[in-house]
Every structure is written in C-alpha cells, then in structure tokens.
Amino acid sequence: RRPCDKTKAGAERTARIKQGQLFNGMFDEYDRERLDNYFRDEQRLTLDEAKILYLETTINNKTRRTLKRDEYLIDVAFGFFKSRGAVLLDDVSPLLCVRLIASIKKKGLKRSSIKNYWSVVSKVFNKLRKLKLIKLENPMQDVDLPREGKMERTRIPSVDEIQSILSYLATHSPY
C-alpha cells in the first residue's frame, strides 16, 4: 500500500496499472524493499550463507568426519575469496578460482589436496544450483588442475603404524 493520487479515480487508475505491473513481475525499488526476501529468483547469497546452506543440504548424505573436512575446505577457499574482496557468491569468478588453485599449489600441497579444494567449491555451486537456490554457473568448471604430481600417496606407513592399525582392528572388529 502506498499513496497513488489525490482523487479516487486517479488512485483507482494507478492501482490498476500497478496490479498489471505486479502481475507481469515488474517491481520498482519500493516493491523490492517491501518484498525483500520473497524474491527467490533474485536472491543473492553471501559466501557464509552459501556455506551454511550447502552443509545443511548435505548433512544426511555424509558422515560427521566428511562434513568437518568439507567445512574446513570451504572455510579456507571462501576465506581466500573474501580476502580478494568477494562478499557474495556472485563475486566468485573463474579467475578468482584459478588464483585460489594457484595459491594452494604455491603452499606446496599435493595434487590430491588441490583437487579436494577444487571439488568442494564445485560441489557448493552444483548443489545450490540443483536445489534452485542460485542461477549461477559453476566457476570451477573452467579451472584446470595442475598436471604435475600424483594423486596417490607417496609415503608408505611404518611398521609401527601398521602394527597399531592391526591392533586397533583386532580390538574393534565385530568378528
């Protein structure tokens, strides 16, 4: 509700025009301010909101340990984006994602760890898009992983580590 005209006829005419505009999805700034969170199509998520929504929507499919790992990876990746000025999920561009991967590589992390960061950012965008919470394209889809390095572990467990694993399995095995 808002003032339309000084005369009843003018107010009715303006009201009919406004009803037609609203019916056709044409909203002005006053309408947007009043409707605020009801604009599902135009909703822009912050990085923190996106993280929370992703974790909430995947809680049933993952173990607690996997959720903790995902949360840590998202915190690191989104922290990098925030340090580069990104506030909203819309602000994350493919170039920013390339810079994230380059900074992780620069820290000396292995290719498999870099892939974990790549995957979790990609999963956030894909999951939120699948749930129709965002209309953004996945910026990670154009980002390539570094070629050098192997995806498998290069270190072999020591004899003590193997014995501790075997003793744990012996005490916690159901058979």
Side-chain angles (χ1 to χ4, degrees):
R1 298 181 60 158
R2 61 178 135 175
C4 297
D5 199 81
K6 292 184 181 194
T7 65
K8 183 177 179 183
E12 288 174 349
R13 188 176 131 276
T14 306
R16 280 192 309 276
I17 292 169
K18 189 62 186 172
Q19 282 177 334
Q21 289 173 344
L22 293 174
F23 182 74
N24 291 321
M26 297 167 37
F27 302 103
D28 60 17
E29 286 304 313
Y30 180 80
D31 298 328
R32 291 178 193 286
E33 182 180 314
R34 300 287 295 178
L35 294 173
D36 194 28
N37 289 330
Y38 295 103
F39 281 110
R40 298 290 300 171
D41 292 344
E42 297 180 21
Q43 186 174 12
R44 297 175 73 198
L45 299 174
T46 65
L47 292 171
D48 293 330
E49 290 169 340
K51 172 190 150 189
I52 291 167
L53 281 171
Y54 173 76
L55 293 173
E56 284 177 358
T57 57
T58 59
I59 197 165
N60 295 328
N61 308 359
K62 297 182 178 186
T63 64
R64 188 172 27 189
R65 182 177 173 190
T66 305
L67 283 170
K68 277 185 162 185
R69 183 189 63 113
D70 281 357
E71 184 175 11
Y72 171 77
L73 294 171
I74 292 170
D75 284 342
V76 171
F78 284 9
F80 176 84
F81 297 149
K82 287 177 187 176
S83 73
R84 299 299 191 271
V87 176
L88 300 171
L89 206 56
D90 308 30
D91 299 335
V92 179
S93 66
L95 178 61
L96 200 54
C97 293
V98 168
R99 289 181 176 159
L100 167 69
I101 298 300
S103 76
I104 294 169
K105 183 181 175 195
K106 194 176 193 180
K107 290 179 182 176
L109 289 165
K110 303 287 183 201
R111 185 170 181 227
S112 58
S113 298
I114 295 170
K115 184 178 180 189
N116 289 336
Y117 285 99
W118 184 94
S119 295
V120 79
V121 173
S122 188
K123 286 177 186 178
V124 169
F125 277 90
N126 290 340
K127 185 66 167 180
L128 296 179
R129 185 175 168 88
K130 185 177 180 183
L131 294 172
K132 295 183 178 26
L133 294 172
I134 61 172
K135 290 186 175 184
L136 303 171
E137 293 295 322
N138 182 354
M140 276 295 188
Q141 98 187 33
D142 296 324
V143 178
D144 296 326
L145 289 171
R147 295 270 182 223
E148 65 268 359
K150 295 182 179 180
M151 292 298 283
E152 58 272 345
R153 191 181 288 234
T154 56
R155 187 180 77 79
I156 298 173
S158 68
V159 174
D160 293 335
E161 290 172 326
I162 293 172
Q163 286 176 348
S164 78
I165 291 169
L166 291 174
S167 66
Y168 177 83
L169 290 174
T171 59
H172 290 84
S173 177
Y175 300 107

